[in-house]
Amino acid sequence: MSTVLCETADGVAVITLHRPERRNAFTKEMGVDLSEAYRAADADDDVRAIVVTGTPPAFCAGADMSAAGSTFDAPRDGFTASPIAPPAFELNTPVIAAVNGHAIGIGLTIAMQADIRIVADDARYAIPQVRRGMMPDAMAHWTVPQIAGSAVAAEVLMTGRTFDGPEAQRMGLAGRSLPAADVVPAAMEIAADITANVSPLSAALTKRLLWDTLRRGYSPERVAELETEGHMQVMGTADAREGGASFAERRPPRFTSRVPRDWRGLG
């Protein structure tokens, strides 16, 4: 049985971490399943947004610790500390993490790879690997400082301490903190808004430039060049005409671009 459930409807792919008997604790199999689900959703022209969440009451309780003292034994060949390939930020489709319950260790570092994060008020969050004789994973040494700044990253990653949803929002790790029952509906509302009102190609180009600027340290001048390149791809297209027409006519847009069908990339 897959450790990840996938359902697509109305342009939104919902990917659910699903090991409820273990609070969705992460395993190597889950990494494979989530990677496959990301790739499939991103390759689907009809998917306009992705929501990743967990089967309640947790999002992901971290690495499966059922092996106790041998959980972190010396790895075999092929080990990687970043087992989600591609990470959410490499997809062209917007990814919203609906962190509807506890997210510990890799559970939280997976969520940090998403574009948007909504967390639950009363859930527990931590990247506690340093308290287990390990170190943070899933590119957290890059995502956390990029998203929340180096001071927050140093505190969160080097102490491994636990915090709740409102503190996660205050630190900049999440955009919103809501009652747990409201997290997935809020994520779905954002996804539905993207699906209804955002050009797929425009969203993909904007996401790519945003994350590539962080990854590659682009100068303002290089960003200006790539913004111009992106504009040249979308100006004069059916979506650009529809965007202007729908605004003037005060009606919802009917965008027809599709990713990856129309994707040419940047740079």
Side-chain angles (χ1 to χ4, degrees):
M1 182 179 295
S2 176
T3 62
V4 170
L5 305 179
C6 305
E7 182 178 354
T8 300
D10 301 322
V12 180
V14 178
I15 300 173
T16 304
L17 308 180
H18 185 67
R19 295 186 70 222
E21 74 286 355
R22 298 290 301 169
R23 291 182 176 265
N24 308 323
F26 189 87
T27 63
K28 182 177 180 180
E29 180 185 4
M30 181 179 283
V32 171
D33 291 343
L34 179 56
S35 299
E36 291 178 352
Y38 273 165
R39 287 193 293 269
D42 202 42
D44 188 339
D45 277 340
D46 293 327
V47 171
R48 306 274 292 276
I50 297 169
V51 172
V52 58
T53 189
T55 299
F59 178 78
C60 175
D64 191 324
M65 300 284 289
S66 58
S70 61
T71 298
F72 303 120
D73 279 354
R76 298 178 179 178
D77 291 343
F79 169 79
T80 174
S82 294
I84 311 303
F89 58 77
E90 286 190 357
L91 306 181
N92 290 326
T93 310
V95 179
I96 305 158
V99 191
N100 55 327
H102 304 321
I104 306 297
I106 196 167
L108 184 53
T109 57
I110 289 172
M112 295 305 298
Q113 295 180 348
D115 303 305
I116 299 169
R117 278 161 302 286
I118 304 173
V119 297
D121 288 339
D122 60 355
R124 296 194 303 275
Y125 302 103
I127 303 175
Q129 283 90 328
V130 293
R131 297 184 179 221
R132 309 286 183 264
M134 299 295 295
M135 61 183 296
D137 50 26
M139 306 179 187
H141 295 84
W142 181 78
T143 58
V144 177
Q146 291 292 348
I147 291 165
S150 60
V152 169
E155 179 178 352
V156 169
L157 300 181
M158 294 172 66
T159 71
R161 70 175 182 85
T162 300
F163 44 91
D164 61 12
E167 186 173 7
Q169 182 181 13
R170 288 195 299 272
M171 289 191 292
L173 297 170
R176 303 188 205 177
S177 180
L178 302 171
D182 296 339
V183 169
V184 172
M188 293 299 292
E189 183 178 355
I190 295 171
D193 182 47
I194 291 172
T195 299
N197 297 303
V198 175
S199 160
L201 185 58
S202 295
L205 288 166
T206 299
K207 171 174 177 170
R208 185 75 287 116
L209 183 52
L210 174 65
W211 283 102
D212 281 355
T213 297
L214 296 177
R215 296 173 74 184
R216 301 174 183 175
Y218 287 153
S219 67
E221 293 77 15
R222 180 57 176 155
V223 169
E225 292 173 355
L226 292 170
E227 286 176 344
T228 299
E229 181 182 330
H231 275 74
M232 297 299 289
Q233 288 192 41
V234 296
M235 293 176 74
T237 64
D239 274 12
R241 291 190 294 272
E242 174 62 11
S246 61
F247 176 79
E249 297 166 13
R250 299 182 182 275
R251 60 170 174 79
R254 296 184 290 269
F255 293 123
T256 56
S257 68
R258 289 292 181 268
V259 181
R261 184 193 68 190
D262 302 322
W263 178 251
R264 288 160 43 196
L266 285 173

